[in-house]
């Protein structure tokens, strides 16, 4: 009898070789698709972070320009009184953490009033001074501060008196707030972020806590720097090697107002290796499942191919022995047990891969939740005064026109209350800014506790607060102001062992006296002006009182 096993083994060997090639093709396909999808998602993430950061940095620039305008107006007013100007410069530097120093230089470049107290500097050779002396408002490239030794940006603006330039306002900004904006979006450091000038000098970077070496120019940070500078509207996501030789996906944005460039990069290899391994395991296990399902069919086909030959051999032997009565019988070989063990092992591996995939998904969802939380925190910081936790002036003045529109549309009253802490400058001068800050916090807490949920409380500036009272008439707002005035008169602040009494003046105005101009923003400004006039009258009539116009 001829042995049956070699023929079946030969058939199974050819099937195995064919499916081995099929498995390899499937694994490579899965790897390619997984890495391609990852890179596409990474490119979208880099572009999204770049756009979000661009908006945040441009907002920061607009705030600095507005602050410079405000400082210039006050400096112009105090230009002829050096003592008051010097005191004001010191106060403003202490009030705003982003200001390292403020100074005023004469047209010859000598800094004759300075918040640092050093009036021996001459900046006539500085580019920002020359530009400001020519009538321009400028922001310098990053320089090292003579005061702190840290990288700073310098803003300069001419001061006019009688139509002529009488001095140059010089404002030195530290870079901590800019760096905080980068870190707020950067979460766990998944991105490398660089903010540079148009010449390639790095202003801040998320990767380091100090200014990068000037040798690390824009050409090294971004390989297509020449195209960026030739066409400042050009933007595209690129794959390239960064200055450390790592493969990255990068995106840039040009910030027109400051002539800056924002670059966001992400390392391709950070997650690609994990995805490549995961794709290999998933593809391999999937193919094992496929083979497990088709193997019984291969076994059945191999038996069907050998069965006629076996029956013929059996019949020939029986005929040779003289037996013609026995029918042909075929016995098959089965290897189902080995196949079942392979399937069980494969299923165990599949469960492990699924658990790892779910853990990865949970981690990504947690990171997304953290990103959303930090975005909400960033939005809250943009509209909140950090000292009093009230809304800041920008938010209140942006909100008031919509409240005016609502009141006019539904025929409801609307009132505004302006509050000014009495003799606050004396408190600061006598007891220091720490006591002054505590006074402002306690006043804010009392005002917040006295207002309704619908009311909008904001810090208008310095020791002034503003309250928007929707659906409230002028008389009702005056009664509310009187209650707050009385409660405030009961408050005493601990000032260096002394009990310091407090009082405040209140100005109230409502929409009744505001002309209908059709422009809600103009009407809102007029409403605030009327409340401010009432506050001025309250102060002129002796303070610690409520006046309504």
């Amino acid at each position: 009898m001829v042995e049956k096993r070699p023929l079946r083994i030969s058939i199974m060997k050819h099937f195995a070789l064919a499916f081995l090639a099929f498995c390899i093709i499937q694994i490579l396909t899965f790897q390619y698709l997984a890495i391609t999808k990852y890179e596409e998602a990474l490119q979208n993430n880099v572009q999204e972070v770049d756009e979000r950061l661009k908006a945040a940095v441009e907002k920061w620039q607009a705030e600095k320009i507005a602050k410079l305008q405000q400082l210039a107006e006050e400096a112009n007013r105090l230009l002829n009184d050096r003592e008051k100007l010097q005191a004001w410069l010191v106060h403003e530097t202490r009030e705003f953490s982003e200001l390292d120093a403020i100074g005023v230089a004469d047209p010859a470049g000598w800094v004759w009033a300075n918040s640092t107290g050093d009036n021996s500097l001459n900046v006539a050779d500085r580019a920002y001074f020359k530009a400001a002396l020519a009538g321009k408002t400028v922001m310098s490239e990053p320089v090292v501060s003579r005061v702190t030794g840290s990288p700073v940006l310098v803003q300069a603006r001419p001061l006019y008196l009688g139509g002529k330039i009488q001095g140059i306002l010089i404002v030195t900004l530290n870079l901590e707030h800019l760096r905080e904006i980068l870190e707020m979006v950067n979460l766990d450091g998944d991105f490398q972020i660089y903010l540079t000038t148009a010449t390639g000098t790095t202003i801040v970077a998320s990767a380091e806590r100090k200014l990068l070496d000037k040798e690390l120019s824009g050409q090294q940070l971004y390989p297509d720097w020449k195209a960026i500078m030739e066409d400042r509207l050009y933007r595209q996501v690129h794959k390239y090697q960064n200055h450390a030789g790592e493969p990255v996906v990068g995106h840039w944005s040009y910030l027109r107002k400051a002539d800056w460039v924002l670059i966001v990069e992400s390392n391709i290899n950070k997650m690609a290796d994990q995805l490549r391994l995961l794709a290999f395991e998933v593809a391999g296990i999937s193919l094992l499942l496929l083979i497990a399902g088709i193997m019984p069919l291969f076994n059945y086909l191999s038996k069907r191919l050998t069965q006629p030959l076996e029956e013929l051999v059996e019949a020939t032997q029986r005929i040779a022995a003289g037996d013609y009565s026995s029918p042909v019988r075929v016995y098959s070989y089965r290897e189902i047990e080995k196949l079942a063990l392979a399937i069980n092992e494969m299923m165990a591996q599949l469960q492990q891969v699924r658990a790892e995939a779910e853990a990865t998904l949970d981690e990504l969802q947690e990171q997304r939740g953290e990103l959303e939380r930090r975005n909400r925190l960033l939005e809250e910081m943009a509209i909140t005064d950090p000292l009093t936790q009230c809304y800041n002036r920008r938010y209140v003045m942006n909100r008031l026109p919509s409240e005016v529109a609502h009141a006019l549309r539904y025929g409801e009253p609307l009132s505004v209350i302006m509050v000014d802490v009495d003799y606050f400058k004396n408190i600061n001068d006598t007891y220091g800014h720490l006591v002054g800050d505590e006074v402002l916090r306690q006043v804010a807490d009392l005002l917040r506790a006295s207002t309704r949920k619908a009311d909008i409380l904001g810090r208008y500036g310095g020791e002034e607060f503003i309250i928007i009272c929707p659906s409230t008439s002028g008389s009702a707002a005056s009664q509310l102001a009187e209650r707050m005035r009385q409660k405030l008169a009961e408050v005493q602040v601990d000032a260096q062992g002394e009990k310091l009494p407090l009082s405040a003046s209140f100005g109230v105005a409502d929409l009744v006296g505001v002309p209908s101009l059709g422009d809600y923003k103009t009407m809102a400004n007029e409403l605030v002006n009327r409340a401010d006039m009432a506050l001025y009258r309250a102060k002129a009539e002796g303070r610690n009182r409520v006046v309504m116009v």
Side-chain angles (χ1 to χ4, degrees):
M1 180 178 178
V2 179
E3 178 64 34
K4 297 181 289 183
R5 188 179 301 274
L7 179 59
R8 295 188 61 192
I9 291 176
S10 177
I11 295 173
M12 295 300 294
K13 182 180 71 174
H14 286 85
F15 278 129
L17 291 175
F19 271 87
L20 179 61
F22 179 76
C23 290
I24 294 174
I25 294 173
Q26 289 296 316
I27 291 172
L28 294 177
T29 303
F30 272 95
Q31 288 182 354
Y32 172 78
L33 292 176
I35 294 174
T36 301
K37 291 298 183 182
Y38 167 71
E39 290 185 0
E40 291 176 358
L42 190 61
Q43 290 176 2
N44 292 334
N45 288 343
V46 167
Q47 186 168 358
E48 179 184 350
V49 170
D50 188 281
E51 294 295 336
R52 203 159 56 241
L53 276 173
K54 178 185 178 185
V57 173
E58 287 181 339
K59 181 179 180 182
W60 179 89
Q61 292 172 340
E63 291 175 352
K64 299 312 115 186
I65 293 173
K67 182 62 181 177
L68 182 64
Q69 171 68 24
Q70 178 187 348
L71 294 172
E73 292 174 358
E74 185 65 15
N76 264 327
R77 190 178 66 82
L78 300 174
L79 200 56
N80 289 329
D81 191 335
R82 181 171 181 174
E83 182 177 348
K84 288 185 177 180
L85 178 60
Q86 182 76 34
W88 173 76
L89 293 176
V90 173
H91 172 268
E92 287 297 310
T93 305
R94 292 175 178 174
E95 189 75 8
F96 298 96
S97 60
E98 285 189 78
L99 303 182
D100 272 6
I102 313 176
V104 176
D106 62 23
W110 290 102
V111 180
W112 60 276
N114 195 341
S115 62
T116 64
D118 182 5
N119 297 332
S120 63
L121 300 177
N122 188 290
V123 294
D125 60 332
R126 299 300 177 95
Y128 58 80
F129 175 84
K130 295 177 181 179
L133 196 61
K136 298 179 180 179
T137 298
V138 295
M139 179 179 289
S140 73
E141 289 202 349
V143 297
V144 176
S145 171
R146 296 180 180 177
V147 179
T148 65
S150 301
V152 295
L153 296 173
V154 179
Q155 289 179 293
R157 180 188 177 96
L159 301 176
Y160 293 92
L161 194 62
K164 295 183 179 180
I165 296 178
Q166 299 298 323
I168 303 299
L169 177 65
I170 302 172
V171 178
T172 304
L173 302 171
N174 62 59
L175 303 177
E176 284 305 310
H177 192 193
L178 263 181
R179 186 175 288 109
E180 289 173 1
I181 292 174
L182 268 59
E183 293 176 349
M184 183 67 68
V185 178
N186 199 21
L187 290 177
D188 299 324
D190 291 333
F191 303 94
Q192 295 85 44
I193 304 172
Y194 305 95
L195 185 63
T196 78
T197 65
T199 61
T201 302
T202 302
I203 301 171
V204 287
S206 63
E208 303 185 29
R209 299 293 298 176
K210 62 180 182 178
L211 191 67
L212 296 180
D213 294 335
K214 290 191 176 182
E215 287 77 8
L216 192 59
S217 65
Q219 180 64 44
Q220 293 172 281
L221 287 173
Y222 203 77
D224 211 8
W225 189 266
K226 182 177 180 181
I228 291 175
M229 292 300 102
E230 288 179 352
D231 183 3
R232 310 237 168 150
L233 296 178
Y234 165 82
R235 59 173 56 191
Q236 188 175 356
V237 178
H238 284 295
K239 288 173 56 178
Y240 57 93
Q241 287 189 340
N242 65 8
H243 63 89
E246 301 168 333
V248 296
V249 171
H251 187 271
W252 79 280
S253 289
Y254 176 64
L255 282 63
R256 182 176 302 277
K257 290 184 178 179
D259 202 24
W260 288 354
V261 176
L262 177 65
I263 300 174
V264 178
E265 297 177 347
S266 184
N267 195 309
I268 295 176
N269 290 337
K270 186 174 183 180
M271 287 285 292
D273 291 340
Q274 299 178 15
L275 288 174
R276 187 179 292 109
L277 178 60
L278 181 62
F280 181 87
E281 293 176 350
V282 171
I285 293 172
S286 300
L287 291 171
L288 285 177
L289 286 173
L290 180 62
I291 294 172
I294 295 180
M295 188 62 72
L297 176 60
F298 289 163
N299 191 44
Y300 172 75
L301 292 175
S302 66
K303 289 189 295 181
R304 291 296 300 269
L305 290 173
T306 59
Q307 184 176 358
L309 295 176
E310 292 176 353
E311 290 181 349
L312 181 59
V313 171
E314 291 281 347
T316 303
Q317 291 176 346
R318 286 194 298 270
I319 292 172
D323 183 5
Y324 302 102
S325 61
S326 299
V328 176
R329 299 185 62 183
V330 178
Y331 298 90
S332 62
Y333 297 94
R334 304 180 61 87
E335 299 177 347
I336 301 302
E337 182 179 356
K338 292 183 179 180
L339 181 59
L341 292 175
I343 293 175
N344 289 337
E345 182 180 359
M346 176 190 60
M347 291 177 64
Q349 293 178 0
L350 182 60
Q351 289 176 349
Q352 180 180 356
V353 171
R354 180 178 297 172
E356 292 175 355
E358 290 176 351
T360 302
L361 179 60
D362 291 342
E363 182 180 353
L364 292 175
Q365 290 176 343
E366 181 179 349
Q367 291 179 356
R368 179 180 178 182
E370 180 65 13
L371 177 61
E372 292 175 350
R373 184 189 71 80
R374 295 193 183 188
N375 283 339
R376 289 194 298 270
L377 178 61
L378 185 61
E379 292 175 358
E380 182 178 343
M381 290 173 60
I383 64 173
T384 304
D385 174 58
L387 176 63
T388 63
Q389 299 304 306
C390 301
Y391 289 118
N392 57 30
R393 176 174 179 172
R394 181 182 300 101
Y395 174 81
V396 173
M397 295 308 294
N398 288 338
R399 178 73 179 273
L400 185 54
S402 63
E403 294 296 334
V404 171
H406 178 86
L408 295 176
R409 184 179 300 114
Y410 295 101
E412 297 178 354
L414 174 68
S415 298
V416 167
I417 303 174
M418 295 291 292
V419 186
D420 185 273
V421 181
D422 293 336
Y423 305 108
F424 182 74
K425 186 178 185 303
N426 292 339
I427 295 174
N428 265 343
D429 293 343
T430 303
Y431 301 101
H433 288 283
L434 292 179
V435 175
D437 290 347
E438 180 61 24
V439 167
L440 293 177
R441 279 192 289 266
Q442 291 204 24
V443 171
D445 291 342
L446 184 145
L447 297 179
R448 188 182 295 109
S450 302
T451 56
R452 305 168 303 171
K453 186 176 181 180
D455 296 335
I456 302 166
L457 171 63
R459 184 181 178 189
Y460 195 70
E463 68 272 23
E464 287 189 324
F465 295 84
I466 183 171
I467 307 172
I468 301 175
C469 302
S471 304
T472 305
S473 65
S475 59
S478 296
Q479 295 174 7
L480 171 62
E482 178 60 26
R483 290 195 297 272
M484 289 189 290
R485 186 195 68 78
Q486 294 175 4
K487 289 182 180 180
L488 187 59
E490 299 172 359
V491 175
Q492 290 186 336
V493 177
D494 187 5
Q496 301 175 0
E498 299 181 21
K499 294 298 182 179
L500 180 65
L502 297 180
S503 67
S505 303
F506 295 76
V508 182
D510 58 17
L511 274 179
V512 174
V514 176
S516 298
L517 303 177
D519 184 341
Y520 299 133
K521 183 175 183 181
T522 302
M523 296 180 69
N525 290 337
E526 179 62 22
L527 181 59
V528 172
N529 289 338
R530 289 172 56 81
D532 199 42
M533 290 171 56
L535 175 62
Y536 180 79
R537 281 179 48 189
K539 294 169 64 177
E541 293 175 5
R543 296 183 172 85
N544 193 21
R545 65 191 65 240
V546 177
V547 173
M548 175 182 171
V549 296

